[in-house]
Amino acid sequence: MARVVPSISSEEVRFDIPETARFGLVALATDLTSERDLYRQMQGRDVAIHVSRLAFENPTTPDNLQLMAPRLVKAAGLLAPVSPLKAVCYSCTAATVVIGDHEVRSSIQKELPGIPVVTPTAAAIRAFEALDVRRIAVLTPYTIATSQPMADFFTSEGLDVVNFDCLGVEDDRDMARISRQTIINAAVAADRKDAQAVFISCTALPALDSIVEIEDRIGKPVVTSNQAASWLLTRLGGLSDHRPAEFGKLYSFDLASEKVRDIA
C-alpha cells in the first residue's frame, strides 16, 4: 500500500477567547471526594477545575500531614501551564492546620504568583465571618491526636469552640466511605444549644449531601470543608451570584470585599 502523507488543511485556524472560569485544585493522591464535590457545587456554570495531586501516606496523623509541606511547590507547579487561574485550592483541612495556612499559601504562590490560594480552614473562617458566627461546634472524622491541632487553630482565630467530636478514623480513604446517616447523626449529636453553627471538617468526608438535612434538624448553619472552599472559590472567581440552596445557607452570603486582599 502507498504511504499516506498528511497535509496541512486549507482551513484558517481561528482561536476563541475562552470565558471559562478556571480554578486549580491541589489534592492528595488518596483524595476520593473533593474534586467531585467542587464540580457538583459549580454545576451549571462555565468553569473548569484543573487538578494536581501530591503524595500522601496514611494513616492521617500530624506527622504524616506535615510531610506534604515540601511537596506543595512541585504540585502547584504542575498547574502553571493552565494559568491564568481565578484561584487555587489546597484540599486538606487537617494538613493546612498542621503545616500552617501562611506556609501553604506561600508555597503554592512560588509557582503561581498573584493567584489567590484557598484552604479549607481559611474558607471556614471567612464563612463564619459571613454568617456572623463566633461560637461553633465541630465534628471531624479524625483521631483525637489529629483533631487537637484543629481545635487549637479555631481557638487561636478567636472562635469559641463549645464542643468538639471526632469519629476516630485513621485512613482518609475510609473517611470517604463514611455513610451519610453517620455524618448526619454525628453532626446533630455534636451540636450544642449555645453553638451558632456546626463545622464538619475534612475534604475527604462526603458531607455535602448532608448539609441541608442537618441544618433543618438543628436550625442553624452548617459549614463543611468542601462547601466552604467552593463557596470562597466562587466568590473570588467572580461568581458571587452562584447560590445553590441545596448546599446550605452559606451560599446565600457574600464574601466581604475587604477580605479578598487577605487571601490574594
Side-chain angles (χ1 to χ4, degrees):
M1 296 178 63
R3 186 184 183 194
V4 176
V5 179
S7 61
I8 299 294
S9 171
S10 60
E11 180 66 27
E12 179 184 357
V13 178
R14 297 180 176 86
F15 297 96
D16 290 330
I17 300 175
E19 297 181 356
T20 301
R22 299 187 181 279
F23 297 97
L25 173 65
V26 178
L28 279 58
T30 51
D31 188 325
L32 302 176
T33 308
S34 58
E35 183 178 0
R36 177 195 65 192
D37 276 5
L38 287 183
Y39 265 118
R40 288 184 61 207
Q41 290 177 90
M42 297 186 189
Q43 188 174 2
R45 305 307 297 254
D46 186 10
V47 302
I49 299 170
H50 303 283
V51 185
S52 175
R53 291 187 175 247
L54 74 170
F56 174 67
E57 297 82 23
N58 275 293
T60 302
T61 63
D63 287 343
N64 282 347
L65 293 167
Q66 183 66 51
L67 290 175
M68 283 189 282
R71 303 168 185 167
L72 283 167
V73 176
K74 183 177 180 180
L78 295 176
L79 293 171
V82 298
S83 287
L85 299 168
K86 296 289 187 181
V88 60
C89 176
Y90 173 54
S91 196
C92 187
T93 322
T96 302
V97 170
V98 171
I99 296 170
D101 189 87
H102 175 75
E103 184 172 345
V104 169
R105 182 180 295 121
S106 61
S107 294
I108 291 174
Q109 289 182 331
K110 285 179 182 177
E111 293 290 341
L112 300 170
I115 296 177
V117 175
V118 169
T119 63
T121 48
I125 296 299
R126 297 294 173 255
F128 296 141
E129 290 170 345
L131 293 163
D132 194 23
V133 162
R134 303 306 304 169
R135 300 186 305 276
I136 60 172
V138 180
L139 172 67
T140 82
Y142 321 128
T143 62
I144 292 175
T146 302
S147 297
Q148 186 62 58
M150 186 163 297
D152 297 339
F153 166 78
F154 283 128
T155 300
S156 72
E157 289 291 323
L159 292 165
D160 183 5
V161 181
V162 300
N163 187 53
F164 197 121
D165 287 350
C166 52
L167 297 176
V169 180
E170 294 187 331
D171 191 310
D172 68 331
R173 294 163 296 184
D174 290 333
M175 296 174 197
R177 297 171 49 245
I178 295 175
S179 74
R180 178 176 180 271
Q181 199 59 53
T182 297
I183 295 169
I184 292 171
N185 292 346
V188 171
D191 182 36
R192 293 295 183 271
K193 184 177 181 180
D194 53 343
Q196 296 172 295
V198 171
F199 176 64
I200 304 177
S201 181
C202 188
T203 57
L205 194 67
L208 194 62
D209 290 328
S210 306
I211 294 172
V212 172
E213 182 169 339
I214 299 168
E215 288 184 336
D216 287 345
R217 288 179 61 177
I218 67 176
K220 59 190 72 171
V222 171
V223 176
T224 78
S225 292
N226 286 342
Q227 172 220 38
S230 178
W231 169 80
L232 186 51
L233 286 171
T234 58
R235 272 52 186 163
L236 292 173
L239 304 175
S240 59
D241 62 332
H242 187 59
R243 300 173 184 269
E246 67 268 31
F247 300 124
K249 291 181 172 66
L250 176 60
Y251 269 105
S252 63
F253 290 83
D254 294 321
L255 173 68
S257 58
E258 67 270 14
K259 299 299 181 181
V260 175
R261 294 189 296 272
D262 299 337
I263 301 166

